[in-house]
Amino acid sequence: MKVLVPVKRVIDYNVKARVKADQTGVDLANVKMSMNPFCEIAVEEAVRLKEKGVATEIVAVSVGPAQAQETLRTALAMGADRAILIQTDQDLEPLAVAKVLKAVVAEESPELVLMGKQAIDGDNNATGQMLAALLDWPQAAFASEVVVEGGKAKVTREVDGGLQTLDVDLPAVVTADLRLNEPRYASLPNIMKAKKKPLDVKELSSLGVDTAAKLKVLKVTEPPKRSAGVKVETAADLVSNLKTAGVL
Amino acid sequence: MAVLVVADHDNSALKDNTHKVVTAALAISGDVDVLVAGTNTAALAGEAAKIAGVRKVLTAESAELGQGLAEAFQDVVAGLMGGYDAVLTPATTQGKNFSPRVAAKLDVAQISDVIEVVDANTFVRPIYAGNALETVQSSDAKKVLTVRPTAFKAAAEGGSASVESVSAPAAPAKSRFVDQQIVKSARPDLGAAKIVVSGGRAMGSAEEFQAVIEPLADKLGAAVGASRAAVDAGYAPNDYQVGQTGKVVAPELYVAIGISGAIQHLAGMKDSKVIVAINKDPDAPIFQVADYGLVADYKAAVPELMSALAAAGK
């Protein structure tokens, strides 16, 4: 079974994003970038499926600038077999990315697309669901457990209030939640080996996909700051303060 | 222009999120209809019809809708969009699950987690774990939005909308519901509670979490939350998680106990009216957003807090 794993290069999750003074966006110059944490979980799950003998080939794909090759090399070092970069300097909306991924699916014919539930920059939580809809495939979003057998995937999903288990026919799109697994670190020998694995770079324009933006960002601003609080000495002080504030 | 709101419910009761999203919808248009899709829709539609400002309630009933299958919701909602200019869905796991499918079927962008409606085409949403707010203008003819319920006040009761049923689409053959495990709780719903008491990694064990956090929550009539660290360590179930990847809450009072305050956690609670932090590390980032901070070991502070509350008549 072939598994396609879309991965995204984003600001490192430990970095506090800073808004540009001209309100055009978030300042990404000289900021540490990494693979989106949910994408790491998706790669890890694909590698585990391969180690169980379920998956035969893992293809990592990224849509983004030339630097996204580093992100793909990370996926290769974790255990993906080959990688594809759809290169563009445009910042694409989730629907455009889903359309690009649909074109990649048409070429690669995977039986499973395994991806993160959301990217920590745009926080959209939409691309996987959109891809499933465009392909007319079933989806299992926010997966915390995936069992593939007999042309189906049994997926436990994290939902408000608890867990839900679905049975989806393959091919399907599964999006990974935090608790699906603990991603491995790429070892140095694997990082060296990953440099020799195939990485195809294609220009976005060669796919003939309409990626025009549908949303115009008018401004990006800082959220309102909270005013500085006070430290109290005892629990009794705390309770009297809360009574004064009218929240008890 | 007309706007459709997809109701949030558990097949037995309508959730307050529905009222909040109706408020967001009324900021776009005066013509707001509510779709109740699931099972037991007749009773739920009666509740939805009472929300002030609602023009009409539509019901769609099928087992698959009751199970929340995204494919079924996509079909019924996309099928109705011929008559609407926008669809608003609460940004719950259920809403996040199907709404992007509707957007893709309509070939429009989804605007996720809207916290402010500027005008019918312009919306504000948080990005980068709430560290920035993005104002976007849509050029799509039809808008697909998920709405962060905690950013809007609940619409009042007092309406008397008409109810009509629409046909539920045929069952999606490619995905099937197997089962679910819902955590039962007598406490208020985390997303809607006025007071939330959250515990972090400092609790050290599930037993300690239950022994410390839950009695305090019960005393305050509060919902219980947890940091990701506490959930990952198994101290609390994962639907307790407050944060960027868990629930976003904005209660009147948020009490963070033994929580350092990572940016991913702050993204889920920093819009609370009053934040209290109890942490023995005076440099913990949680103190930068806390209105009242108590630098103390929770082991001593929580029992003192319990007795101070008792002394104050709680």
Side-chain angles (χ1 to χ4, degrees), chain B residues 73-220:
Chain B
F73 268 82
Q74 170 205 302
D75 289 348
V76 70
V77 177
L80 288 169
M81 287 307 289
Y84 295 95
D85 304 293
V87 57
L88 282 72
T89 303
T92 56
T93 52
Q94 167 66 1
K96 289 172 181 174
N97 193 25
F98 74 81
S99 183
R101 289 192 74 112
V102 174
K105 279 291 167 200
L106 299 174
D107 195 30
V108 302
Q110 169 173 279
I111 307 172
S112 303
D113 247 337
V114 169
I115 59 167
E116 187 189 336
V117 175
V118 178
D119 62 41
N121 298 308
T122 314
F123 309 94
V124 181
R125 56 180 301 265
I127 53 174
Y128 290 87
N131 284 306
L133 301 179
E134 179 182 63
T135 305
V136 292
Q137 191 174 50
S138 167
S139 58
D140 286 318
K142 294 189 189 292
K143 321 280 188 261
V144 174
L145 317 179
T146 62
V147 175
R148 180 175 288 188
T150 57
F152 296 90
K153 286 196 163 59
E157 300 275 316
S160 55
S162 61
V163 177
E164 79 187 48
S165 72
V166 297
S167 63
K174 293 174 180 171
S175 67
R176 288 156 304 275
F177 173 88
V178 179
D179 63 7
Q180 62 184 8
Q181 301 94 46
I182 298 300
V183 179
K184 293 235 181 336
S185 172
R187 297 195 186 89
D189 185 48
L190 182 56
K194 285 202 160 56
I195 303 178
V196 173
V197 177
S198 277
R201 187 182 2 225
M203 299 301 118
S205 71
E207 293 73 30
E208 184 77 355
F209 191 95
Q210 277 164 19
V212 174
I213 301 298
E214 304 203 349
L216 180 59
D218 289 341
K219 196 162 195 81
L220 291 167

Side-chain angles (χ1 to χ4, degrees), chain B residues 284-300:
Chain B
I286 191 78
F287 287 120
Q288 289 163 23
V289 301
D291 298 281
Y292 302 102
L294 180 58
V295 181
D297 190 337
Y298 77 87
K299 285 186 169 79

Side-chain angles (χ1 to χ4, degrees), chain A residues 38 99 121-124 129 136 139 160-161 163-165 167 169 214 216 218-219 221 226 230 232, chain B residues 67 71 96-97 107 112 125 128-129 133 135 137 139 174 176 178-179 181 183 244 270 272 291 293:
Chain A
F38 292 99
K99 287 177 179 174
D121 50 0
D123 283 336
N124 282 294
Q129 295 90 315
D136 222 356
Q139 74 182 40
D160 291 335
L163 299 170
Q164 181 193 61
T165 306
D167 211 10
D169 290 345
K214 291 167 180 289
K216 187 174 157 197
L218 299 182
K219 61 178 177 178
T221 53
R226 293 188 72 94
V230 295
V232 296
Chain B
Q67 294 157 347
E71 296 81 359
K96 289 172 181 174
N97 193 25
D107 195 30
S112 303
R125 56 180 301 265
Y128 290 87
L133 301 179
T135 305
Q137 191 174 50
S139 58
K174 293 174 180 171
R176 288 156 304 275
V178 179
D179 63 7
Q181 301 94 46
V183 179
Q244 184 188 14
K270 68 182 170 50
S272 305
D291 298 281

Side-chain angles (χ1 to χ4, degrees), chain A residues 146-168:
Chain A
V146 179
V147 180
V148 177
E149 54 185 12
K152 288 182 196 144
K154 193 172 179 187
V155 180
T156 304
R157 307 176 52 233
E158 295 196 14
V159 297
D160 291 335
L163 299 170
Q164 181 193 61
T165 306
L166 292 183
D167 211 10
V168 293

